[in-house]
Amino acid sequence: MRFLRRLWTRIRRGPVPESAVPHACTAEEPPNPIMYTQRVLQPPPMVCTHSQSEGLHVTDEALTLVTPAEGDALHFEVSVWVTWCAQPATPQNDDEALLRTEIATLRSRVRREVHDLVRAAARTIPAHRPELAEEEIQRALNGRYTRAVHDCDRVIVKVAARTWVTLTEDVRERQRKLAYLIMDEHARLQLTKARVERLGAERDVWMDFLIASDQSWRGRFAVLLAEHGTNAAEVILTMQQARKGELEHFVSVLQMVDNAQKAANVNIFDLVTGSDKVIREAFERLGVELSPAGAMPWEEQG
């Protein structure tokens, strides 16, 4: 509808005189204390809220720059997309040709400003930190374009810029090697964690198994049968011989203790009653069935 209305208006007006052809504003902006105050105290930039059908919105092709990083020895590759928002100050100036002419007139100046801002911001960041450079450059651009780049009684032109920063090829190659090394280190760390976790799980399983086996002297022979599953008679014979050997060793130890206590003039009965718990555990490990701990059998009968 807007296009048809403009077309009908031009048909009614007839040929446009040369003096009325749209052209960029060449006069300096008049002094305006209110506008100056707005420029100083303007809040952070906001996304253009105008509808695409209002005024003119143009996004230029990416401006690609190779600019020095900190120290000037290495560089960043910077891409900047400049978006223009040109709005007529009055309804009679709502002419696309006028708006495009105004943008074209400002384009070279804005590009020079962008280049200067990008270069100054990038030179404060090391060449291997493109994310910091991108953040710093974007902050500088946002700070510059918090206000309109052109504002007169005919046209208001605003600019927004979006930035991408990447590494140059030589820096990227070094960063790629570093990234591979870091990946290998992380992989080794993950493998170590997996091994430790597996060892911990195996330890817990074996601990439960060993505790259960330690509670019965027959446990090791049961494991022997479970591992081989054949020749049970030989395993039983081995178990009996081992038990006999342990009993003989235990009796010899008791004999030595008895002899030592006799030499010290200590009664063996006192020794046994005083070491009841230790001796009980020893006999239980040897498979000897004992009566419950408590009073002596003759005391219970009496």
Side-chain angles (χ1 to χ4, degrees):
M1 291 298 295
R2 290 171 59 87
F3 174 76
L4 294 176
R5 186 168 61 252
R6 289 177 181 175
L7 182 60
W8 175 246
T9 301
R10 289 185 180 181
I11 292 174
R12 286 195 309 167
R13 290 177 180 174
V16 179
E18 184 176 354
S19 60
V21 174
H23 60 279
C25 299
T26 56
E28 292 292 332
E29 298 179 16
N32 188 332
I34 297 178
M35 184 181 300
Y36 178 78
T37 304
Q38 289 178 343
R39 292 178 180 179
V40 176
L41 303 179
Q42 183 77 20
M46 299 179 62
V47 179
C48 176
T49 57
H50 296 100
S51 170
Q52 291 296 320
S53 61
E54 297 180 13
L56 180 64
H57 296 81
V58 177
T59 299
D60 290 347
E61 292 292 330
L63 177 62
T64 303
L65 308 171
V66 178
T67 186
E70 184 181 42
D72 288 5
L74 300 171
H75 298 80
F76 287 116
E77 290 182 357
V78 183
S79 298
V80 182
W81 286 265
V82 176
T83 300
W84 302 83
C85 174
Q87 299 293 325
T90 57
Q92 57 268 28
N93 291 320
D94 188 7
D95 191 320
E96 182 175 331
L98 171 64
L99 301 181
R100 288 190 179 276
T101 302
E102 197 65 54
I103 292 175
T105 302
L106 297 170
R107 183 173 280 114
S108 59
R109 175 169 68 85
V110 169
R111 287 189 174 183
R112 287 195 303 271
E113 288 179 352
V114 168
H115 189 280
D116 293 342
L117 291 169
V118 167
R119 182 180 177 87
R123 295 178 78 178
T124 64
I125 306 298
H128 65 284
R129 299 300 302 274
E131 74 284 2
L132 296 182
E134 188 170 287
E135 181 180 348
E136 188 64 27
I137 292 172
Q138 190 65 59
R139 184 183 298 110
L141 293 174
N142 291 346
R144 169 61 184 88
Y145 297 117
T146 56
R147 58 182 177 82
V149 294
H150 180 79
D151 189 348
C152 67
D153 57 355
R154 298 178 62 193
V155 180
I156 301 172
V157 182
K158 297 180 180 180
V159 168
R162 181 168 55 92
T163 305
W164 281 7
V165 178
T166 58
L167 300 172
T168 54
E169 192 57 38
D170 53 343
V171 180
R172 182 182 291 108
E173 183 61 29
R174 290 178 176 271
Q175 289 298 101
R176 185 181 291 114
K177 294 179 180 178
L178 175 61
Y180 285 145
L181 292 175
I182 293 175
M183 288 173 58
D184 292 340
E185 291 298 325
H186 280 292
R188 280 192 284 270
L189 175 61
Q190 295 302 319
L191 287 174
T192 301
K193 289 181 178 180
R195 290 194 189 101
V196 171
E197 184 177 356
R198 177 183 58 80
L199 289 174
E202 290 185 2
R203 176 204 60 198
D204 295 340
V205 172
W206 281 111
M207 283 291 293
D208 294 339
F209 172 77
L210 293 175
I211 291 173
S213 299
D214 192 51
Q215 294 174 351
S216 172
W217 64 274
R218 298 181 178 87
R220 63 181 183 274
F221 302 104
V223 172
L224 187 61
L225 284 173
E227 288 182 342
H228 300 284
T230 59
N231 206 353
E234 183 177 349
V235 173
I236 293 173
L237 179 61
T238 303
M239 179 182 68
Q240 291 176 344
Q241 290 175 349
R243 184 183 180 190
K244 180 181 178 182
E246 290 178 355
L247 284 171
E248 291 175 350
H249 176 70
F250 183 67
V251 170
S252 65
V253 171
L254 284 179
Q255 186 64 45
M256 290 168 46
V257 173
D258 180 42
N259 294 336
Q261 295 300 326
K262 286 179 179 180
N265 197 22
V266 177
N267 192 291
I268 188 60
F269 180 78
D270 296 335
L271 172 65
V272 173
T273 55
S275 307
D276 178 66
K277 183 178 180 181
V278 176
I279 295 176
R280 275 184 174 277
E281 290 183 357
F283 273 111
E284 288 175 357
R285 289 177 180 271
L286 294 173
V288 178
E289 299 292 339
L290 299 176
S291 60
M296 295 299 174
W298 56 84
E299 293 179 353
E300 293 178 359
Q301 294 175 1

